[in-house]
Amino acid sequence: MSKFDRYERNLAIGGISQEQQEKLITSKVLVMGVGGLGSGVIMNLAAMGVGQIKVVDNELIEESNFNRQLIHKYKNLGRAKVMSAKEWVQEFNPDIKVEIEKVKINELNYFNIIEGYDIIVDCFDTYEAKYMLNEIALRHKMILVHGGIQGYCGQLTTIIPGKTGCLSCVIQKPKVFSEQPNCSLSPVVNVISSLQSQEILKIITGSGELLMNKLLVFDGYKGEFKTLNFSKNIACDACSIEEPIF
Ligand SMILES: [Zn+2]
C-alpha cells in the first residue's frame, strides 16, 4: 500500500501530479473558525490530503449550528467545535495531523497561534474578526483566503501581501460592525467553502489561476457568479505600507 493510494483519483487524468500531491501532504493550513465555512474547508482539506491543519475557534456547538456546520455531529452538542472538528478529521483521514486552539483570537494573543503557518483561511462569521485577520495576515506576509456569506450570497478572494489588494481595498472597512448574525444557508456556505478550498489547492500545488485582485461573488438566489476586478488602493489603511514579498 502506498501513501498515494487514497489520492489515486486526485492523480488521474486532468488532476494533479504525484509531486503536487506530495506538496499537499507536506503542507500546513491554518483555518480560522469552524462554523459553516470552516466545516466545508476542513472537510475538503482532509479529502485533498493537506497534511497538517490547525483549527482555531472558541465556541461550543449549539443546536442552531446544525443547519450548515456539517462537520459537527449531533452527539457533540455542547462540546467545543475544535474538538468536534478534530474528531471528524481523525475518523475520516487518520494520516492528517490536526492542531487545535480553543481561543478567540485578538491582537494580543494571535502571534503564537499563527506561528509556523503561511496560509490562513478566513472562515470567521463576523466582519470585525475578518478585518482583524486581514490586518494580521498583511503584517506577517501570510496568504489569506477570504470567504464571506450573506443570505443567499457569498464571496471570496485570495489576498497575497504586496501582490494584491486586501480585504479593506475591495470592501471598505465599516466604522461600526453589525452585531446581528448573518443568515447562512447550507448550500451557499458550501459553495463558498469549496471555492476557498480550491484556492488553497492551487496555492499549494502552484497550479491554475488564483482569485488575485478578483472578488468572486455568488448569488445563489439568481444562480449567478460574477467576478469583480479590483486593485490595491494606494490609500488603503491596511495594506498601503506593505512591501512586496515576490
Ligand atoms: Zn488594502
Side-chain angles (χ1 to χ4, degrees), residues 134 138 164-170 232-233 236-240:
N134 178 56
L138 288 168
T164 69
C166 76
L167 181 60
S168 293
C169 291
V170 62
K232 188 178 168 89
N233 174 2
C236 175
D237 288 343
C239 73
S240 57

Side-chain angles (χ1 to χ4, degrees), residues 151-232:
Y152 275 91
C153 297
Q155 86 273 336
L156 73 152
T157 186
T158 293
I159 299 161
I160 302 180
K163 195 168 184 182
T164 69
C166 76
L167 181 60
S168 293
C169 291
V170 62
I171 307 170
Q172 196 172 19
K173 186 177 176 178
K175 292 201 165 43
V176 180
F177 291 99
S178 166
E179 293 188 4
Q180 296 294 320
N182 288 339
C183 158
S184 299
L185 300 164
S186 181
V188 182
V189 168
N190 283 292
V191 167
I192 299 302
S193 62
S194 289
L195 292 171
Q196 286 180 288
S197 308
Q198 188 168 264
E199 289 296 288
I200 297 159
L201 169 68
K202 291 185 289 184
I203 292 165
I204 293 170
T205 59
S207 58
E209 294 175 21
L210 295 171
L211 290 168
M212 296 194 297
N213 286 332
K214 291 179 180 176
L215 187 73
L216 183 58
V217 179
F218 174 60
D219 182 337
Y221 199 80
K222 292 182 180 172
E224 285 179 357
F225 282 99
K226 283 183 185 159
T227 306
L228 305 177
N229 294 305
F230 66 98
S231 55
K232 188 178 168 89

Side-chain angles (χ1 to χ4, degrees), residues 3-209:
K3 66 177 176 180
F4 294 107
D5 288 354
R6 183 184 177 104
Y7 307 111
E8 183 187 297
R9 291 300 179 98
N10 285 356
L11 309 174
I13 295 168
I16 61 175
S17 67
Q18 189 162 309
E19 187 184 9
Q20 288 172 320
Q21 183 65 56
E22 184 69 38
K23 282 184 180 171
L24 286 168
I25 291 170
T26 55
S27 64
K28 298 193 288 186
V29 175
L30 176 54
V31 180
M32 291 291 194
V34 61
L37 291 175
S39 289
V41 166
I42 293 165
M43 292 164 105
N44 273 302
L45 296 183
M48 293 191 294
V50 168
Q52 185 170 324
I53 304 169
K54 186 168 191 175
V55 186
V56 182
D57 195 300
N58 193 40
E59 292 184 351
L60 305 179
I61 300 170
E62 298 175 2
E63 188 91 28
S64 62
N65 299 148
F66 293 116
N67 79 316
R68 67 199 185 281
Q69 301 186 13
L70 306 187
I71 205 167
H72 305 305
K73 293 178 181 162
Y74 197 75
K75 68 173 184 180
N76 286 333
L77 183 64
R79 289 183 69 207
K81 289 185 179 181
V82 289
M83 279 305 301
S84 159
K86 181 174 181 172
E87 196 174 278
W88 185 92
V89 174
Q90 287 176 332
E91 285 177 10
F92 179 73
N93 189 345
D95 294 336
I96 293 175
K97 182 179 175 190
V98 183
E99 290 192 311
I100 55 172
E101 294 264 10
K102 186 184 175 305
V103 66
K104 182 172 182 169
I105 73 155
N106 58 45
E107 286 287 350
L108 299 176
N109 70 4
Y110 78 85
F111 188 75
N112 290 338
I113 294 167
I114 66 168
E115 203 173 12
Y117 287 81
D118 49 21
I119 303 171
I120 311 183
V121 199
D122 170 12
C123 298
F124 280 146
D125 58 356
T126 71
Y127 271 85
E128 191 168 8
K130 287 176 183 301
Y131 282 99
M132 178 182 64
L133 197 55
N134 178 56
E135 286 157 25
I136 289 171
L138 288 168
R139 198 178 303 148
H140 294 277
K141 299 186 176 5
M142 300 169 77
I143 298 174
L144 178 66
V145 180
H146 160 78
I149 298 291
Q150 173 65 58
Y152 275 91
C153 297
Q155 86 273 336
L156 73 152
T157 186
T158 293
I159 299 161
I160 302 180
K163 195 168 184 182
T164 69
C166 76
L167 181 60
S168 293
C169 291
V170 62
I171 307 170
Q172 196 172 19
K173 186 177 176 178
K175 292 201 165 43
V176 180
F177 291 99
S178 166
E179 293 188 4
Q180 296 294 320
N182 288 339
C183 158
S184 299
L185 300 164
S186 181
V188 182
V189 168
N190 283 292
V191 167
I192 299 302
S193 62
S194 289
L195 292 171
Q196 286 180 288
S197 308
Q198 188 168 264
E199 289 296 288
I200 297 159
L201 169 68
K202 291 185 289 184
I203 292 165
I204 293 170
T205 59
S207 58
E209 294 175 21

